[in-house]
Amino acid sequence: MTLKLYNTLTRTKEEFKPLDPRNVRMYVCGPTVYDYAHIGNARPVIVFDVLFRLLRHLYGADHVTYVRNITDIDDKINARAKEEGTSIRELTERTYAQFRKDIAALGVLEPTYEPRATETIPEMIAIIERLIASGHAYVAEGHVLFSVPSMKDYGRLSRRPLDEMIAGARVDVAPYKRDAMDFVLWKPSDADTPGWDSPWGRGRPGWHIECSAMSWKHLGEVFDIHGGGIDLVFPHHENELAQTRCAFGHDVMANIWMHNGFLQVEGQKMSKSLGNFVTINEVLKDWPGEVVRLNMLKTHYRQPIDWTLAGLETSARNIDTWRKVVRDMPSSNTQVDDRFLKRLLDDLNTPDAITKLHAYVGYARETLSYSHGSPKPEVAAGLLNAATMLLGFDLGREVPTGVPIDETFVGRQIDTRLAARKAKNWAESDRIRDELLAMGIVLKDNKDGTTSWEVKR
């Protein structure tokens, strides 16, 4: 069987042929960590987790590299930190920890790498230097800008007319720009704004260059799949593609570009002004993660999704029914039924895959009625393994499958907490301890500080 994926770049469904089957590479744009992630942010996380699981099944877990970045330097972050009267580091660490906790409840596997923008500044500077040297970027009044006219086929991904691109990019009018469409690669920072030394003075990166640098660092100049929400096609992905191609001289950045559709709530666009802005954290207070995930996957990833209470209620009943059939019947059989698998191989057709799960349940019920006992092992195995690939949890258990603990993150949090204790900032110290505890991480302290930690779930 062959995996086929819809490619935004070509507007066609294509057979997936990895550049290197021994190292299938995928990059997905992650969150900007300044506030709780909303339910729309959960959609790409869930969709590309399904694809990650499918690729691991096809090529082997050790032969798939998945990168999902963290944007931890951004003007929105700067503004929120100033508004709260807190440091940017504290804000991004707290928000990042909450994001990890929320998506863990959705049965999401850890990506192979989860780089931060602030840890990839040297790579950003290196790409910008390449672009300047090749005539695709220029320095003006402390800024470095990408020259859009220097790229003949700019706009190939979004395929928008020039006037629509200008409107969609919300172009900043600046006298130092050579062309209205030129966009910022590097901008100066004042004394109150985070900044790094560069050949063009102390400053910070533009948004688009961040992903170009992080994907290059971990996946190389060209890789297999680039994913994200449909709202990122322009200007973010268009500009990201332009930078990377022009810096390294390739015809493509990623062979396949995938984008999930928009999410609305009860038939309306999600908006704080309408009072229907819902965070992942808020939804998880009322619904188990597996219900949220199933509800998300009932709509094909490329289609718009209407997030409704009725849909969640139906998904909860589905989960309950499936569990009753296979409860306490974990299977050691790792095979996934081909009839289920071919649904996912067809551009992640999760609605059809869920229909197949319903068929498993129907057959299991017939088996129960006939034998007056438990479903046959092969029936339970088919249902359990298919559900685990799709939904990220074992139907025979009461909780969704967890994710591995990021020891680097824990160590960083412990160091931050130790610094707070030395400064006698007991409130901050307690906050970090409680935040880790909520993730199932218990710290062991003595008079000299934290001696060790353990996971209790």
Side-chain angles (χ1 to χ4, degrees), residues 5-73:
L5 299 171
Y6 183 84
N7 190 351
T8 306
L9 188 64
T10 62
R11 304 299 196 271
T12 59
K13 194 186 294 186
E14 301 177 3
E15 180 179 340
F16 177 64
K17 296 180 180 179
L19 293 165
D20 180 2
R22 296 166 300 177
N23 184 21
V24 182
R25 290 163 285 167
M26 176 170 70
Y27 184 92
V28 176
C29 290
T32 300
V33 285
Y34 70 99
D35 203 348
Y36 283 97
H38 58 71
I39 192 62
N41 299 139
R43 194 174 193 193
V45 172
I46 292 171
V47 164
F48 290 103
D49 180 70
V50 173
L51 180 56
F52 183 35
R53 290 173 180 273
L54 179 60
L55 292 171
R56 284 160 58 99
H57 178 79
L58 296 174
Y59 296 96
D62 296 333
H63 300 293
V64 182
T65 303
Y66 175 24
V67 178
R68 186 184 64 225
N69 77 291
I70 297 292
T71 297
D72 61 348
I73 177 66

Side-chain angles (χ1 to χ4, degrees), residues 59-320:
Y59 296 96
D62 296 333
H63 300 293
V64 182
T65 303
Y66 175 24
V67 178
R68 186 184 64 225
N69 77 291
I70 297 292
T71 297
D72 61 348
I73 177 66
D74 181 88
D75 288 345
K76 291 180 180 178
I77 294 173
N78 301 340
R80 179 60 59 86
K82 186 176 182 180
E83 176 186 318
E84 292 185 0
T86 189
S87 71
I88 287 171
R89 186 68 176 183
E90 193 281 330
L91 171 64
T92 57
E93 289 284 359
R94 165 167 45 89
T95 310
Y96 171 56
Q98 185 63 57
F99 174 76
R100 284 176 53 84
K101 179 183 174 183
D102 288 344
I103 66 170
L106 299 174
V108 173
L109 293 173
E110 288 258 342
T112 315
Y113 299 105
E114 199 169 22
R116 291 165 172 258
T118 54
E119 296 171 350
T120 324
I121 299 296
E123 287 78 10
M124 297 180 202
I125 291 174
I127 291 176
I128 294 171
E129 287 178 325
R130 281 173 170 260
L131 291 170
I132 293 173
S134 61
H136 290 291
Y138 58 94
V139 182
E141 297 186 20
H143 295 72
V144 183
L145 296 106
F146 182 87
S147 173
V148 169
S150 72
M151 185 181 187
K152 293 182 180 179
D153 59 349
Y154 179 85
R156 180 176 157 201
L157 180 65
S158 57
R159 300 188 185 183
R160 291 186 175 192
L162 179 60
D163 57 343
E164 286 187 18
M165 286 197 286
I166 292 174
R170 299 176 184 175
V171 169
D172 293 326
V173 178
Y176 49 79
K177 279 188 174 186
R178 295 178 182 173
D179 186 273
M181 282 296 296
D182 294 351
F183 57 88
V184 172
L185 302 172
W186 189 264
K187 51 191 172 184
S189 294
D190 58 30
D192 297 325
T193 307
W196 290 263
D197 292 333
S198 80
W200 320 287
R202 182 177 178 275
R204 60 196 191 280
W207 174 30
H208 314 304
I209 196 66
E210 296 176 1
C211 286
S212 285
M214 287 183 277
S215 62
W216 172 45
K217 180 176 182 179
H218 295 287
L219 300 177
E221 297 175 6
V222 179
F223 49 94
D224 295 299
I225 300 169
H226 195 313
I230 193 70
D231 57 309
L232 297 180
V233 173
F234 188 85
H236 184 49
H237 286 171
E238 190 74 77
N239 291 349
E240 191 186 337
L241 182 155
Q243 295 161 165
T244 299
R245 282 186 54 200
C246 291
F248 300 109
H250 300 295
D251 290 335
V252 295
M253 174 185 181
N255 280 342
I256 291 182
W257 290 77
M258 297 176 64
H259 296 92
N260 62 269
F262 287 113
L263 179 143
Q264 59 182 17
V265 177
E266 300 289 352
Q268 292 183 303
K269 182 179 178 180
M270 187 166 57
S271 167
K272 289 182 179 180
S273 62
L274 293 175
N276 65 351
F277 188 88
V278 185
T279 67
I280 304 172
N281 186 258
E282 289 169 335
V283 172
L284 289 171
K285 289 177 181 177
D286 298 322
W287 302 95
E290 58 267 36
V291 171
V292 176
R293 181 165 171 139
L294 174 61
N295 199 55
M296 192 72 78
L297 294 173
K298 284 184 173 180
T299 301
H300 190 275
Y301 79 91
R302 285 196 283 118
Q303 301 301 316
I305 184 172
D306 191 12
W307 192 258
T308 66
L309 176 60
L312 285 163
E313 290 171 342
T314 301
S315 296
R317 288 193 294 271
N318 293 153
I319 294 290
D320 185 57

